[in-house]
Each structure stands twice: as structure tokens, then as C-alpha cells.
Amino acid sequence: MINRSLRVRVATFLLIPMAAVAGALGVGGSWFVDTFVTNTFDRTLGGSVLSIAERLTILDGQITVSIPAAAFGMLSNSERDSIFYSVTAENLFITGYEDLPQPKQLPHPNTLVYRDTVYRGQPVRIGMMLKPIYVTQHMALVQVAETTNGRNRLASRMLTALTALGVALASIGSLLVWLAVRIGLNPLDKLRTEIEIRRGAAHKPIAPFPLAGVPSEALPLVSAWNDLLAQLNRSMQVLRQFTADASHQLRTPVAILKTHLDLLDRHQPGGSSWRSSRADIDTAVKRLDRLISQLLALASIEDESSSRTLTAEFNLRDIARDVALDFAVIARRQNIELSFDAPESPIIVAAEPFLLDQALRNLLDNAVRYNRSGGHVHVGVQIEAAATGSKTAKLYVEDDGPGIPEGQRELAFERFHRIERAGDPSGSGLGLAIVRAFIARANGTVSLLSRPGGQGLRVEITLAIASPDRTRSGSDTIAPAVNA
């Protein structure tokens, strides 16, 4: 595809109508010049005809005429046009040039009429008048012919001058159009310069283009580019953060894998040392898989430019119950009792179901992973009424594990923050960061609280109720616990 210059396109769109107008003016000017020259010379030619017609007299019953010198003197010009005349009365030649062509049709009496013809090999313009002689009741035809050299030369000069003026105006107009287009498109050159300045800024956020001085016609384009740059900066920030997190967190499990793979080569397959290294490799692979999944989840939720929240109304109780049932088997394997309760009536919220599902799974994974054998995990959904009369939905997960000290609860939401305790399983420190990011995108809040009545932690998610009319706050019924 050929890339055409915007300046050329704009100038072309302006010059084509100008050329059409110039052509129309040229045609109109040519008509005007021809009409002006013809009328000017015809007035002089008509004056000569009238001068001769006024000298017609009757002498001895015959029509006579005394040709005044002024009749032909007024027709003299620098081109020395030839003058011919004739006076006839009812096909009777009286004076002048007898062979001067007669009209095919006589004009009306006392009316000047003009016609073009050829006489003696030259184009001539003839003015004529039929003059009544009332004494004898005769009609005399007076004709005066003039060659057209003078009028043609004058018309040619006027057309040449008009053409020269038109060409000059067209040239000046074209130059002004081109200059106006160049000046008008200068902001695009400045924008190109701004883009070139930002070309080498891949290692840092790209600054938005300044809007000051941008023409109103280009403002939507520059604003759209700034929005695109903002999305690109967010995506690049997420990518840089993901790369930094991955390089930081993947180093340890990869080192473990390399070490144990080396040990496998040194031990006899099937031996106790070989099996121990094999088990450590399995553990490292699982940790690596979980870490990568969490990093990808965190990167996807933080990349607002590529992630679109698909809000829908759904029953919060159903999602909480389904996730709790999915974790029942995992809790049973670790000898942990998992229970669930919620109101009988539906609790309708407007959010992205996937976000809440993933957030709850991360919370349950932490509650089960860091709990002790024989511990308890409780999942619940309830409605809470505020003092203003409004209602919110609460989704909470309680456990009686080691909990999180109150002074570190806010830090627990930061990336890779872990509370080191003896006997705790390994983790990435990303679980609560992912939960907060998911819940924030779902327009909710998440809080870490002390478990009522004893040891452990209560994680509480608060969401707005979408349809209060559809949500009835009935009494809670405890679902049968899923026991280990």
C-alpha cells in the first residue's frame, strides 16, 4: 500500500476546487471579454450607420445621400481596419460597394442589427438599418462593414492579460495553500518529534504527550494516544514486576531441583537416598507450580489494560458452598475439620464470580495449609446491617491455626511477606496479596481480624448487596460440617 503524504492530500483537496473555480472564471472571463469587445466596437459601428442614415434625402424624387467624413472617421483605429458601406432602396443600389452582401432578411425599420460574414476574403462585422423615407414611401437599407482585426486584437490582448492574471493568482493561491498546509500540520511534526524522543524509553514509563498547544482537531487523537500509553505503561510495569518477582522467587526451587537432580545421579535408583531426593524434587515441583500459578494470577489481575471485569449478579452463598466442598477432601487428608454455614435465602451480589472464587480458594488454601492436625476451618456467609439501614454481604474464613500477629496483619497483604515460624510449611507470600487484588477488582474490601473466642484468624470479605429486595435476612442454619 502506497503511503501518501498528508500535506499532499490536504493540498490536493484544496487545489482541485480552486482549479475548478479558476476554470469557471476563465470561461466566464472569456465570455465577458468577447461580449465587452463586441459591444464596444458595435456601438461605434452603429454610430456610423446612424450617421449615414440621417443624411438620406429626396432629390427630384430620387433617394440621395451625402456621406459625412465623421461617419468613417469614428471607425478608424490603430489596426487600420477596412471600412465598406452600401445604401440600397428596394434592391436599387444607390451608393457604396455594390457587391457588399445583402441580408437574407431585412431588419425591422429604424432598428440596428449586426451580423458577421466574409467579404472579399476577410471576416467582417456588418451593421445595418432599414430607414423609412416617408416622403416617397421608400425604405432605404444602410449597411456599414468593418473588418475584425481591431476587435480581435483587443480581445486577444484582454484574454492574454486575464490569463496572466489568472495564472499569477493561481500560483500565489497554490503557494499560500501549500504554506498554510505546512503551517497547519506543524503540530503533527512536533508530535512526531515527541514520539522520537520517547523511542528509547523502553526501560522506564513513557511520558504522556503534552496537551498544551495541541489544536482542537488533533486533541482527541493525542488524548487517545495518551490513554494507550497509560495502558502500555501499566502493562510494562506489570511485566517488569512479574519478571522481578519470578527471578527472585524461582531461584530457590530451581536451585533445589538442580541439587536433587545431581544427587539422583549419584545414588542407586530405588535406594532410600534416591527416594528421599525424589520426594524433595516432587515437593519442589509442586512449590514451583504453585508459585508460578500465583505469579500469573497476580500479574493478570494487576494488568488492568488486558483484564476486563465481567460483572454479574449471583448468589454469594452458592460460590462459598461450592468452594468449601472442593476443599473438603484436602482438609480431610490433613485431619482438619471444615464447616460451612449461610442463610437459607440467597445473598445476591454484583461482582465477577471468578474473582471471588479465586480469592476464597486462596484463603481456604492458607487456612488449611498453615493449620495444625485436628484444627478447624469455618467458612460463612452472612448479612450485616449498618447503622444507616444499608446492608452488606460478609464472606469470612475462620481458622484456629497460629494466626497473624496484629502488628503484621497489614504487612501480610504485601508481596512475598511471610511470617517465619518453626514448623510452618513453605509458601510464596503471595496468597493474601492475590486476595486483596481480586477483592479490590470486585469492588469489595478484605480485613484480617482476630478469631472470636480464641486462637486463630478471621479473614472477612465485605461486598455490597446488589438486590436488597431479593435478599432476606433469615436465621442462620449451620450446614453439616465436613469433618476430617
Side-chain angles (χ1 to χ4, degrees):
M1 183 177 179
I2 300 176
N3 295 324
R4 295 187 296 172
S5 169
L6 183 58
R7 288 190 178 91
V8 172
R9 294 184 64 184
V10 174
T12 300
F13 290 146
L14 292 175
L15 290 176
I16 287 178
M18 287 181 59
V21 171
L25 290 177
V27 173
S30 177
W31 172 85
F32 172 79
V33 167
D34 182 69
T35 302
F36 173 79
V37 170
T38 299
N39 290 340
T40 300
F41 277 78
D42 282 354
R43 279 195 296 268
T44 305
L45 186 61
S48 180
V49 172
L50 290 174
S51 178
I52 295 174
E54 289 174 355
R55 294 301 185 96
L56 291 173
T57 60
I58 302 297
L59 184 62
D60 297 332
Q62 300 291 325
I63 297 175
T64 63
V65 61
S66 174
I67 305 297
F72 301 126
M74 68 178 64
L75 295 176
S76 62
N77 56 54
S78 60
E79 302 301 327
R80 297 186 180 276
D81 277 319
S82 299
I83 307 299
F84 311 97
Y85 73 98
S86 73
V87 179
T88 60
E90 298 178 355
N91 295 324
L92 178 64
F93 176 73
I94 297 174
T95 185
Y97 293 81
E98 189 175 0
D99 59 346
L100 190 65
Q102 297 294 308
K104 295 180 179 180
Q105 183 177 358
L106 293 175
H108 295 290
N110 293 321
T111 302
L112 277 171
V113 177
Y114 304 91
R115 75 179 193 275
D116 294 303
T117 187
V118 177
Y119 178 60
R120 297 184 179 181
Q122 300 181 80
V124 294
R125 178 76 166 173
I126 299 178
M128 57 184 177
M129 174 186 281
L130 191 61
K131 180 69 173 177
I133 309 297
Y134 296 106
V135 177
T136 60
Q137 300 297 316
H138 288 91
M139 300 290 286
L141 178 64
V142 180
Q143 292 188 105
V144 178
E146 177 189 29
T147 55
T148 59
N149 296 330
R151 65 177 68 206
N152 289 343
R153 183 65 58 87
L154 178 59
S156 177
R157 289 174 181 173
M158 293 182 67
L159 286 175
T160 300
L162 181 63
T163 302
L165 179 61
V167 170
L169 291 177
S171 301
I172 295 173
S174 299
L175 179 61
L176 292 177
V177 166
W178 183 252
L179 290 176
V181 170
R182 286 185 62 87
I183 295 173
L185 294 181
N186 274 343
L188 292 183
D189 290 334
K190 295 180 181 178
L191 186 60
R192 176 178 57 82
T193 302
E194 293 286 345
I195 293 175
E196 290 176 350
I197 292 174
R198 290 160 173 76
R199 182 178 296 174
H203 61 286
K204 59 183 179 180
I206 303 175
F209 298 109
L211 299 180
V214 176
S216 59
E217 293 81 3
L219 193 59
L221 174 63
V222 178
S223 299
W225 281 354
N226 283 342
D227 292 342
L228 182 62
L229 285 179
Q231 293 182 8
L232 179 62
N233 287 335
R234 286 195 296 268
S235 297
M236 293 303 297
Q237 177 61 30
V238 170
L239 179 60
R240 283 191 289 267
Q241 186 66 53
F242 176 78
T243 304
D245 293 345
S247 62
H248 177 268
Q249 291 296 313
L250 296 180
R251 189 177 296 116
T252 299
V254 170
I256 293 174
L257 283 174
K258 291 176 64 177
T259 300
H260 286 286
L261 286 173
D262 291 339
L263 291 175
L264 283 180
D265 293 336
R266 300 176 187 177
H267 298 297
Q268 184 70 25
S272 60
S273 298
W274 186 90
R275 287 194 297 271
S276 176
S277 296
R278 182 70 176 79
D280 289 339
I281 290 174
D282 287 342
T283 301
V285 168
K286 291 178 181 178
R287 179 185 175 190
L288 187 61
D289 178 69
R290 172 177 169 78
L291 179 60
I292 291 174
S293 298
Q294 289 187 319
L295 284 173
L296 290 174
L298 194 58
S300 66
I301 195 63
E302 289 181 346
D303 185 7
E304 296 180 358
S305 63
S306 63
S307 179
R308 296 288 183 265
T309 302
L310 303 177
T311 302
E313 292 189 3
F314 59 93
N315 188 356
L316 182 61
R317 183 190 64 180
D318 293 343
I319 283 188
R321 182 194 62 225
D322 293 344
V323 174
L325 288 174
D326 289 345
F327 271 82
V329 176
I330 300 174
R332 186 179 293 111
R333 289 175 186 167
Q334 299 189 30
N335 194 28
I336 293 174
E337 181 181 288
L338 176 62
S339 59
F340 169 81
D341 73 340
E344 293 180 355
S345 58
I347 300 178
I348 307 300
V349 297
E352 165 56 67
F354 173 78
L355 300 180
L356 287 177
D357 179 274
Q358 293 299 307
L360 183 56
R361 288 181 186 277
N362 274 275
L363 292 179
L364 280 175
D365 182 78
N366 283 346
V368 172
R369 178 187 296 270
Y370 294 101
N371 212 332
R372 68 187 189 282
S373 178
H376 297 80
V377 175
H378 180 66
V379 180
V381 181
Q382 65 184 29
I383 297 173
E384 185 174 280
T388 59
S390 61
K391 296 180 180 180
T392 56
K394 297 283 186 179
L395 170 63
Y396 61 90
V397 176
E398 291 180 354
D399 67 76
D400 56 358
I404 298 177
E406 187 173 351
Q408 297 194 42
R409 288 175 183 171
E410 189 60 32
L411 294 175
F413 288 110
E414 296 183 2
R415 296 167 179 264
F416 308 117
H417 179 81
R418 299 189 70 249
I419 300 174
E420 300 295 340
R421 285 185 288 239
D424 275 358
S426 61
S428 64
L430 290 173
L432 288 177
I434 292 174
V435 170
R436 171 171 277 187
F438 278 148
I439 298 305
R441 288 296 300 277
N443 298 318
T445 60
V446 57
S447 305
L448 301 183
L449 307 170
S450 299
R451 177 171 172 267
Q455 177 184 358
L457 182 71
R458 175 185 174 104
V459 184
E460 196 171 87
I461 295 172
T462 304
L463 298 166
I465 292 178
S467 303
D469 295 338
R470 298 175 55 188
T471 305
R472 303 187 309 274
S473 55
S475 59
D476 292 354
T477 58
I478 306 299
V482 182
N483 298 319

